[in-house]
Amino acid sequence: MKRLLLAFFLLFGTLQASSEPAHDEVVTAGKEYVSKDMGTMVVDFLKSTGLYAFMTAEDTTKMDHGHEIEVSEFSQGWGRVIMILIAFLLFYLAIVKNFEPLLLLPIGFGGLLANIPIADISGPNGFLGILFEAGVANGLFPILIFMGVGAMTDFGPLLSNPKVALLGGAAQFGIFGTLVGAVALTQYTDMFSFSLQQASAIGIIGGADGPTSIFVATNLAPELLGAIAVASYSYMALVPIIQPPIMKGLTTEEERKIQMKSLRAVSKLEKIVFPLTVITLTLLVLPDATPLVGALMFGNFLKESGVVARLSDTLQNALINIITIFLGLSVGSKLAAEKFLVAETLGILVLGLIAFSIGTASGVIMAKIMNKFSKDKVNPLIGSAGVSAVPMAARVSNKVGMEAKPGNMLLMHAMGPNVAGVIGSAVAAGVLLSIFK
Amino acid sequence: MEEINLVSEGFKFMILGMGTVFLFLILMIFVLNLQAKIIQKFFPQTNIPHKKDDSSSKKDLDEEKRVVAAITGAIMAVKKG
């Protein structure tokens, strides 16, 4: 009994000893509460409101990816207000004009949250900052999106008429044309100064492929990510407005009426082998493109194999939806005033539009060149679908074709260059990434 | 370090990039055509006979329907008479 009691005391003693320093730490870690009178309390609280923060903005520095950057008074105060209004504009475009609402809503809301003063939601400890570090800074989310895109894409139209892949290749001229344009602006004018990396990231907008743009931008020019992502998705949404005038301007009435041979049926085996063929080619020619192409083909392989309907279903719906939310919000978190309200953003928006137009035009021109050499005529309208905005660009080809000749269904024909465009822009991205390694 | 002419660098990127894109896609077109030929030759679509079955059974069904219609017609005619 005595021994037991002794043991008990000993135990208690050690416990108390070990708990004492811990207790001390708690006190020093949290701020000591000091009693204040009601007046000071109210004043202190008012100082922590957003309104006060907007009005008393001053120059500060903040940590950004490990190094300090200067943040001006403007971007702390009025800049934030303007950015919040831009977020509202994105909501308007998404809800009323129906421009890519799936992405513009999360991006816009991310931008709204990121510009709230004091809360620092997009900082390293805010949830947007954490999401960004988890999936965008390391390029993970775009890759996951690509899996879903692969699982949703039917490569059948490309398999039944492979030569239309050339149209998807030609449309990538938009990427490189814009790259040259961006460096030319730097070289010959004083308006902008884009490095080659930044110019490459801007050019990728011409590929009309949101995830690819984000993937390249995070690798080559993370500081421009917000503007590039917004430009990229806005122009994808504007496909039905940007493309038709270019398509009509470059083709004659007769060309638009060309009726294409109906597509042959593609066997199931061909569809199953296709992803494996493409991934083999990619690993032989350009391993740098394999993250994007590999994810795309993985998704497609699950779909076409026909034995993992559950996984394919998850990729097409649940996973891509979750990642779209995360990606949109974290890209939106880069819409901070000090990064977005700069002259470069305007340059990026203009260059992106040029990139898109060049891509559209070169697809159409390539189709006309192909018609010179081949007896199976291609309707040049499907050339514009070589920019990879799937399936919007193909739908536009179909619509313009129907206007010229009612009943001339081009949709399935246009899907060929459309999906080839996805592969083409992934290859172009791989080339750019390999150059800067 | 000597000044780099950015524009000429840009054009180099363009030639390399477009060259690779086209090389890749032309190679892909070639391989896909080859693959289609091989698959059509050695693994002809297995669901073709299946389809034939379908269509023949459909024909049978149509035939049956016609027979039934004829019989009903005959019965009606007899009853009226």
Side-chain angles (χ1 to χ4, degrees):
Chain A
M1 186 65 206
K2 208 176 173 186
R3 200 181 283 175
L4 196 71
L5 210 66
L6 192 71
F8 180 75
F9 271 114
L10 266 175
L11 197 69
F12 190 69
T14 44
L15 265 182
Q16 205 176 25
S18 65
S19 71
E20 250 165 32
H23 187 65
D24 277 348
E25 265 168 40
V26 170
V27 169
T28 45
K31 265 184 193 157
E32 190 111 32
Y33 178 77
V34 190
S35 165
K36 290 179 265 190
D37 60 78
M38 200 57 215
T40 357
M41 255 174 123
V42 170
V43 170
D44 280 353
F45 178 75
L46 285 180
K47 278 186 182 169
S48 73
T49 58
L51 201 61
Y52 182 83
F54 278 135
M55 289 187 304
T56 58
E58 51 192 28
D59 296 354
T60 46
T61 56
K62 76 173 188 185
M63 295 300 285
D64 182 69
H65 297 289
H67 48 90
E68 263 188 10
I69 54 166
E70 295 265 333
V71 183
S72 68
E73 178 197 330
F74 170 76
S75 49
Q76 289 287 318
W78 282 109
R80 286 180 189 269
V81 179
I82 295 173
M83 288 313 294
I84 290 174
L85 292 177
I86 289 179
F88 289 163
L89 176 70
L90 291 180
F91 298 155
Y92 171 78
L93 291 177
I95 297 169
V96 182
K97 298 282 176 190
N98 210 21
F99 285 174
E100 295 272 328
L102 285 177
L103 268 143
L104 286 192
L105 274 189
I107 290 181
F109 218 97
L112 172 60
L113 292 175
N115 282 290
I116 293 173
I118 300 171
D120 200 23
I121 299 175
S122 63
N125 296 319
F127 77 92
L128 290 184
I130 294 170
L131 271 182
F132 185 87
E133 283 302 320
V136 179
N138 51 23
L140 178 66
F141 290 163
I143 298 281
L144 293 178
I145 294 262
F146 247 59
M147 287 185 191
V149 171
M152 289 198 281
T153 306
D154 177 14
F155 284 96
L158 179 63
L159 283 164
S160 81
N161 190 9
K163 71 172 183 185
V164 295
L166 288 179
L167 303 173
Q172 309 313 321
F173 256 118
I175 295 179
F176 295 100
T178 309
L179 196 164
V180 173
V183 287
L185 274 182
T186 308
Q187 185 101 339
Y188 300 116
T189 70
D190 295 329
M191 280 187 291
F192 308 109
S193 61
F194 294 121
S195 67
L196 277 168
Q197 281 91 332
Q198 290 175 328
S200 306
I202 296 167
I204 285 285
I205 299 173
D209 199 324
T212 311
S213 303
I214 293 174
F215 187 73
V216 173
T218 44
N219 275 293
L220 297 182
E223 65 281 2
L224 299 181
L225 181 63
I228 287 176
V230 168
S232 182
Y233 280 110
S234 316
Y235 291 137
M236 275 169 77
L238 289 173
V239 162
I241 298 166
I242 300 172
Q243 285 197 324
I246 301 170
M247 292 156 73
K248 286 178 188 161
L250 287 171
T251 52
T252 62
E253 189 74 30
E254 286 75 54
E255 283 173 323
R256 290 203 288 276
K257 285 185 178 162
I258 292 176
Q259 188 118 31
M260 292 181 67
K261 272 205 316 194
S262 60
L263 295 167
R264 71 171 173 87
V266 177
S267 74
K268 196 163 166 44
L269 183 63
E270 274 185 88
K271 286 189 177 181
I272 298 179
V273 175
F274 174 76
L276 303 178
T277 309
V278 173
I279 193 80
T280 311
L281 282 178
T282 320
L283 74 87
L284 291 176
V285 178
L286 191 64
D288 277 308
T290 43
L292 288 168
V293 176
L296 187 73
M297 291 305 146
F298 168 66
N300 191 246
F301 191 55
L302 291 190
K303 170 182 187 265
E304 299 298 353
S305 69
V307 290
V308 283
R310 284 165 46 184
L311 302 188
S312 154
D313 177 64
T314 301
L315 284 186
Q316 290 179 39
N317 299 295
L319 184 76
I320 201 167
N321 288 343
I322 292 172
I323 300 300
T324 302
I325 294 170
F326 287 173
L327 184 70
L329 281 175
S330 31
V331 165
S333 78
K334 290 290 128 177
L335 292 181
E338 71 268 14
K339 292 213 181 112
F340 197 82
L341 294 180
V342 288
E344 272 84 15
T345 302
L346 197 66
I348 290 169
L349 288 174
V350 173
L351 285 167
L353 183 63
I354 295 171
F356 216 86
S357 310
I358 298 177
T360 305
S362 24
V364 175
I365 292 167
M366 186 71 192
K368 295 176 79 158
I369 296 173
M370 278 168 72
N371 278 348
K372 290 248 184 323
F373 294 100
S374 153
K375 47 186 194 306
D376 289 337
K377 295 288 181 234
V378 169
N379 190 319
L381 291 179
I382 70 167
S384 66
V387 302
S388 40
V390 181
M392 193 99 71
R395 282 198 202 127
V396 170
S397 299
N398 190 49
K399 190 166 159 268
V400 179
M402 293 281 239
E403 276 169 21
K405 184 180 177 187
N408 190 7
M409 291 287 284
L410 291 174
L411 186 64
M412 286 325 274
H413 295 286
M415 282 309 283
N418 213 182
V419 296
V422 179
I423 299 175
S425 49
V427 171
V431 173
L432 291 174
L433 292 177
S434 76
I435 290 175
F436 292 109
K437 263 209 170 148
Chain B
M1 206 180 89
E2 67 178 294
E3 188 87 350
I4 311 172
N5 184 340
L6 288 174
V7 176
S8 72
E9 286 306 301
F11 275 110
K12 280 189 227 162
F13 285 18
M14 181 191 263
I15 293 164
L16 180 70
M18 288 311 289
T20 316
V21 169
F22 273 115
L23 177 79
F24 184 88
L25 291 176
I26 289 170
L27 205 64
M28 189 180 85
I29 294 171
F30 180 74
V31 174
L32 287 183
N33 280 328
L34 189 74
Q35 174 190 312
K37 272 190 196 130
I38 294 173
I39 289 179
Q40 277 167 1
K41 188 168 179 194
F42 294 103
F43 308 93
Q45 229 162 0
T46 45
N47 53 1
I48 286 173
H50 184 67
K51 259 188 186 165
K52 262 184 189 163
D53 277 351
D54 271 354
S55 60
S56 65
S57 67
K58 205 184 168 194
K59 241 181 221 166
D60 287 350
L61 212 82
D62 284 353
E63 202 76 52
E64 237 166 79
K65 272 185 188 164
R66 234 176 285 150
V67 171
V68 171
I71 293 173
T72 342
I75 292 172
M76 294 294 269
V78 170
K79 271 189 180 170
K80 269 188 185 167

